[in-house]
Amino acid sequence: MKAIVITKDDDIYKSELTDISEDQLPEGNVTVKVDYSTINYKEGLAITGASPVVRKFPMTPGIDLSGTVEESSHSEYKVGDKVVLNGWGVGEVHPGGLAEKARLNGDWLVPLPDAFSPKQAMAIGTAGYTAMLCVMALQQQGVTPDKGEVLVTGSAGGVGSVAIAILAKLGYTVVASTGRASEEAYLKSLGASSIIDRNELSEKGRPLGKERWAGAIDTVGSHTLANVCAQIKYGGAVAACGLAQGMDFPSTVMPFILRGVVLHGVDSVYCPKEKRLEAWKRLATDLDTTHIDLITTEVPLSEAIPTAEKILKGEVRGRVVVDVNA
Ligand code: NDP
């Protein structure tokens, strides 16, 4: 079977498309014939080795997969079931979705929601499911559409694109921060009411700024997240999930102690199953399938490596689905 395999020998880090045999698959109580996987920012880091995402070698990357159960000794899954997997360290410490088959712990799986095809589920992928978790976080913090504009940073990326589409469908007024002014029409077609240049947020700013946003979803971290926090209205909230600008957070306590701003961290990887199921259920109602098609491009497995290089350069728009059998 075909698989992307990452090796690290004598500090030489290499990713290649190769053939492996099924007995090289790891332990697990469910074997899945994979239909689709995806390229998230994390595959960019894993495949290029830009950040130590992979902690066991050799490793097949791919934190997402959708497919059909081929063998199972897990009580909840039987042969022929359609399933989705996001995270749980798959593609980092356990071989992942960028292969024709995967062997997994059945506890990590969720049933493919009726609303989506295997390809659509991967068009959503970890990025889209994380966007949903971010929206749920803002709602939990009381950010409702009547409170004012909601900002989405890294908006032309995967998490950002899906976040815009969900927020707009729920009636929020969405402002999209992007470094790609050329994507204005795309972002507006997803539901953004206006865009701002990401340079407005990316440099060191003041501890407190003009109160501008009722809430925000931040995918880039660093000065951007600090500036976003400084511009949140009294009692508002930021759902923070990413680090595309950097993992630092050069902020002060001022937005939190003077304006009661809430910084809500979002993790998708080890998110408990109940919340995952809720997020997938919400995606079925809060995300239009027409928008899924708009944000998605498809590549064969042979293009996974060059696409991973592109995503780190900010050259990928929306979501990339990988047909692992093409
Ligand atoms: P993408 O690469 O698709 O999107 C990231 C976007 O961030 C880019 O499209 C770009 O948007 C913007 N960006 C890139 N570089 C910079 C920079 N130097 N400064 C400011 N903005 C920048 O990635 P994903 O959407 O897949 O993931 C986004 C982030 O969220 C990543 O850091 C990822 O690791 C993280 N993530 C975290 C999860 C979690 O569980 N916490 C789950 C999923 C993702 P534009 O061109 O519009 O400016």
Side-chain angles (χ1 to χ4, degrees), residues 20-300:
I20 62 167
S21 72
E22 233 175 276
D23 55 25
Q24 287 174 270
L25 289 174
E27 297 275 294
N29 51 14
V30 180
T31 305
V32 177
K33 180 163 181 344
V34 180
D35 290 324
Y36 294 96
S37 186
T38 74
I39 300 292
N40 296 279
Y41 194 83
K42 203 178 243 178
E43 276 71 49
L45 298 174
I47 287 174
T48 62
S51 186
V53 165
V54 175
R55 299 186 298 286
K56 205 171 161 196
F57 298 91
M59 180 55 57
T60 290
I63 64 173
D64 288 323
L65 64 86
S66 64
T68 308
V69 173
E70 200 176 69
E71 281 175 48
S72 171
S73 58
H74 189 279
S75 58
E76 286 173 42
Y77 296 100
K78 59 180 190 321
V79 174
D81 285 350
K82 300 277 185 196
V83 291
V84 173
L85 173 123
N86 309 109
W88 293 113
V90 173
E92 302 179 58
V93 292
H94 184 103
L98 287 167
E100 290 176 72
K101 288 186 188 183
R103 190 168 294 135
L104 306 150
N105 178 342
D107 293 343
W108 300 338
L109 299 168
V110 296
L112 175 74
D114 290 339
F116 304 122
S117 67
K119 183 176 165 187
Q120 286 171 327
M122 285 299 97
I124 295 166
T126 284
Y129 138 70
T130 302
M132 190 72 242
L133 291 175
C134 289
V135 173
M136 286 160 59
L138 292 185
Q139 290 181 319
Q140 191 186 325
Q141 300 302 339
V143 179
T144 45
D146 57 299
K147 299 257 170 78
E149 291 177 326
V150 172
L151 179 72
V152 176
T153 64
S155 62
V159 177
S161 294
V162 180
I164 292 170
I166 297 170
L167 287 167
K169 182 160 185 199
L170 292 174
Y172 290 88
T173 305
V174 188
V175 177
S177 165
T178 184
R180 291 183 262 182
S182 57
E183 297 298 355
E184 179 166 359
Y186 164 76
L187 295 166
K188 287 190 170 166
S189 70
L190 292 176
S193 63
S194 58
I195 68 166
I196 62 167
D197 189 323
R198 77 184 192 199
N199 287 334
E200 284 186 34
L201 299 164
S202 60
E203 301 298 325
K204 186 176 181 338
R206 289 181 295 151
L208 279 180
K210 185 169 173 291
E211 292 181 53
R212 203 165 166 192
W213 320 109
I217 293 178
D218 178 62
T219 71
V220 307
S222 192
H223 288 298
T224 298
L225 176 57
N227 288 326
V228 169
C229 290
Q231 295 177 4
I232 296 289
K233 289 184 183 180
Y234 192 95
V238 182
C241 71
L243 42 58
Q245 183 181 359
M247 66 167 86
D248 56 327
F249 178 45
S251 181
T252 73
V253 296
M254 301 300 257
F256 313 109
I257 65 172
L258 295 183
R259 291 183 182 159
V261 169
V262 172
L263 179 56
H264 189 129
V266 172
D267 167 62
S268 65
V269 181
Y270 295 105
C271 174
K273 188 158 183 178
E274 205 176 298
K275 201 166 177 185
R276 282 170 193 259
L277 290 169
E278 189 194 342
W280 276 102
K281 196 167 154 205
R282 288 280 310 268
L283 282 158
T285 55
D286 297 353
L287 179 64
D288 279 339
T289 44
T290 48
H291 283 147
I292 299 179
D293 297 339
L294 195 65
I295 63 175
T296 310
T297 38
E298 181 179 325
V299 299

